[in-house]
């Protein structure tokens, strides 16, 4: 596992990730160094020191409850450590760091990241999707893993598959829902599959969803962006920042 994790860390272009504060302790390269130390740690002190480096800047800043863009790149490595870490303390440290990354707020102007499936995704939603993708591994970690998954489920994502426009101007859409169904009415941001324009806010009047993630929702008006292939995220996630 150590070699695989180190290779995953080295595969990231950490220098291309912005440092919102410009403080040396928040340099993304520092995150890479701390991840390497955590991966190969063999004692409680070594694991604690590595986790403290990650909690002290660059990944998150614990005393300010702040998360940095590098956390998105670091999340897959931490999830690998949760599943394959050499010692229980490493797994526990990785779980705690992931919970902080999901719960803390980004710095102003750095609350979005580009992903393989879309640009300008809210940082918390991008991290949550990575976490949801490792469901089995997290469930195996007991209550801590279950709590982290439950938190990630709140950062839902809906992909529009089909739409039906009604004569009164309302729109019914059928979608695939990832995460927990949310209360309505509620605000969402729409990322259009056909445009690179910034996300547009819409109000979802009603939502029904089943256990498979098949969902149907209704909009009170019809934005151009709400077309098949478009993706919706919680509007509040797009506004999360210090």
């Amino acid at each position: 596992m150590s070699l695989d994790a180190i290779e995953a860390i080295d595969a990231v272009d950490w220098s291309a990730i912005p440092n919102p504060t410009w403080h040396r302790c928040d340099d993304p390269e520092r995150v890479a160094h701390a991840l390497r130390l955590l991966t190969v740690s063999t004692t409680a002190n070594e694991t604690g020191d590595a986790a403290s480096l990650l909690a002290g800047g660059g990944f998150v800043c614990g005393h300010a409850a702040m998360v940095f863009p590098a956390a998105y790149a670091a999340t897959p490595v931490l999830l690998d450590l949760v599943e394959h870490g050499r010692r229980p303390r490493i797994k526990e440290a990785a779980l705690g760091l992931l919970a902080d990354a999901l719960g803390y707020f980004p710095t102003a102007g750095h609350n979005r990241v580009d992903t393989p499936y879309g640009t300008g995704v809210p940082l918390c939603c991008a991290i949550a999707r990575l976490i949801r993708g490792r469901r089995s591994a997290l469930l195996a970690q007991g209550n801590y893993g279950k709590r982290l998954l439950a938190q990630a489920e709140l950062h839902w994502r809906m992909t529009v598959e089909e739409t039906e426009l009604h004569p009164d101007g309302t729109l019914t859409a059928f979608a695939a829902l990832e995460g927990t169904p949310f209360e309505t009415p509620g605000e969402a941001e729409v990322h259009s599959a056909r445009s690179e324009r910034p996300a547009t806010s819409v109000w979802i009047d009603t939502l029904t969803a089943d256990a498979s993630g098949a969902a149907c929702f209704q909009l009170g008006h019809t934005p151009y962006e709400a077309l098949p292939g478009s993706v919706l995220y919680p509007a509040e996630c797009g506004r999360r920042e210090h």
Side-chain angles (χ1 to χ4, degrees), residues 39-57:
T39 298
V40 301
S41 62
T42 59
T43 68
N45 285 340
E46 288 176 350
T47 301
D49 288 346
S52 294
L53 283 175
L54 289 165

Side-chain angles (χ1 to χ4, degrees), residues 150-239:
Q151 189 64 30
E153 295 284 353
L154 299 177
H155 299 264
W156 51 265
R157 179 180 191 269
M158 281 202 301
T159 304
V160 179
E161 297 177 337
E162 183 181 349
T163 59
E164 180 181 342
L165 179 62
H166 304 294
D168 62 358
T170 60
L171 180 80
T172 298
F174 302 91
L177 172 67
E178 301 174 26
T180 301
F182 49 92
E183 293 185 0
T184 54
E187 190 178 6
E189 62 175 45
V190 183
H191 293 242
S192 173
R194 302 185 184 183
S195 172
E196 295 185 359
R197 290 183 297 174
T200 301
S201 292
V202 297
W203 278 94
I204 298 177
D205 292 335
T206 62
L207 170 74
T208 57
D210 61 25
S212 72
C216 175
F217 65 91
Q218 187 166 17
L219 301 179
H221 67 283
T222 311
Y224 168 81
E225 291 83 357
L227 296 170
S230 299
V231 177
L232 284 73
Y233 296 98
E236 62 185 291
C237 291
R239 294 192 286 262

Side-chain angles (χ1 to χ4, degrees), residues 7-20:
E7 289 178 347
I9 296 167
D10 292 344
V12 176
D13 185 0
W14 298 94
S15 64
I17 300 174
N19 173 2

